[in-house]
Amino acid sequence: MKQPRESVKPIFSKWIIKQLHGIKLPDPLPFHEVDLFKEHTRAMRYCSQIDPDELIRGAWADLEEKHPEQYKIFLLCIFAGLRRNEVDKLLWQSVRWNDCRIRIEAHPWFQTKSEQSQGDVPIEPELLETLRSYHELREGDFVIESGNFPRPGVIYEHYRAEKEFSMLIA
């Protein structure tokens, strides 16, 4: 089905064409014979088949006691929305115990993805209490324990707890 010239593709929309004062465009415009699939757009959207309650119960049952580092990673990702590198390099001093927040900020072993990535992430009191129980058992400065050290300045993604991330994902 051929589309009218004005709606061929977003790249050749009316607004863009108006901005091209005096520039001669080919006639017919590129993509003039391509359908837009408007009817199918909804059906093509991703619909998760994951039941978050089941996932959380499973993580608690399978990981809490046997794999505490993986459990902490899971909790920080799903309940605080932290990125992998933020979790990997999160320091205990970044947990704001009195405010139910985690502060994401640059430190010697971690640079935020952007300036906008810095700030406080609110967390639920239940997550804070779970973190507090792990804090009492801590062996180092990082929330996620690992025998590996951070490698600031490397030009590739490096995670101290790569083994734990891989096992959790698997």
Side-chain angles (χ1 to χ4, degrees):
M1 173 180 153
K2 291 188 178 184
Q3 300 292 323
R5 178 182 172 129
E6 292 81 20
S7 64
V8 175
K9 290 281 156 234
I11 193 169
F12 293 104
S13 70
K14 282 183 185 180
W15 183 85
I16 291 176
I17 291 172
K18 285 180 185 178
Q19 306 309 309
L20 300 174
H21 305 288
I23 296 178
K24 181 149 176 66
L25 295 175
D27 192 11
L29 289 172
F31 310 112
H32 76 283
E33 293 182 6
V34 177
D35 290 335
L36 293 176
F37 301 112
K38 286 184 182 175
E39 316 80 49
H40 306 291
T41 304
R42 274 194 198 275
M44 293 170 55
R45 288 196 177 151
Y46 172 75
C47 295
S48 174
Q49 301 298 311
I50 296 170
D51 177 358
D53 291 335
E54 183 180 334
L55 188 64
I56 292 164
R57 281 191 298 275
W60 180 75
D62 296 343
L63 301 175
E64 184 190 31
E65 290 182 20
K66 295 180 243 168
H67 305 285
E69 301 316 308
Q70 292 174 40
Y71 189 59
K72 287 188 282 185
I73 291 168
F74 175 82
L75 293 175
L76 290 166
C77 289
I78 199 162
F79 289 113
L82 300 187
R83 295 179 174 114
R84 188 184 300 201
N85 201 34
E86 293 169 341
V87 171
D88 188 63
K89 315 271 183 341
L90 185 65
L91 297 171
W92 282 114
Q93 69 186 30
S94 297
V95 179
R96 303 298 188 236
W97 302 105
N98 297 329
D99 300 330
C100 278
R101 296 184 180 281
I102 294 174
R103 174 147 306 148
I104 302 301
E105 60 188 344
H107 57 72
W109 301 280
F110 171 75
Q111 293 299 314
T112 56
K113 196 166 188 170
S114 69
E115 196 170 311
Q116 292 79 16
S117 298
Q118 296 187 58
D120 288 346
V121 176
I123 58 173
E124 295 296 324
E126 294 84 359
L127 176 56
L128 189 72
E129 287 310 308
T130 301
L131 290 175
R132 192 182 307 277
S133 68
Y134 286 113
H135 183 255
E136 293 170 5
L137 305 171
R138 73 187 182 281
E139 294 182 15
D141 295 332
F142 292 96
V143 174
I144 307 302
E145 302 284 343
S146 173
N148 298 322
F149 296 98
R151 296 181 186 166
V154 296
I155 58 172
Y156 57 91
E157 291 291 333
H158 173 263
Y159 302 112
R160 299 169 35 263
E162 178 63 43
K163 177 182 169 193
E164 300 296 338
F165 281 108
S166 296
M167 290 171 60
L168 176 62
I169 290 166

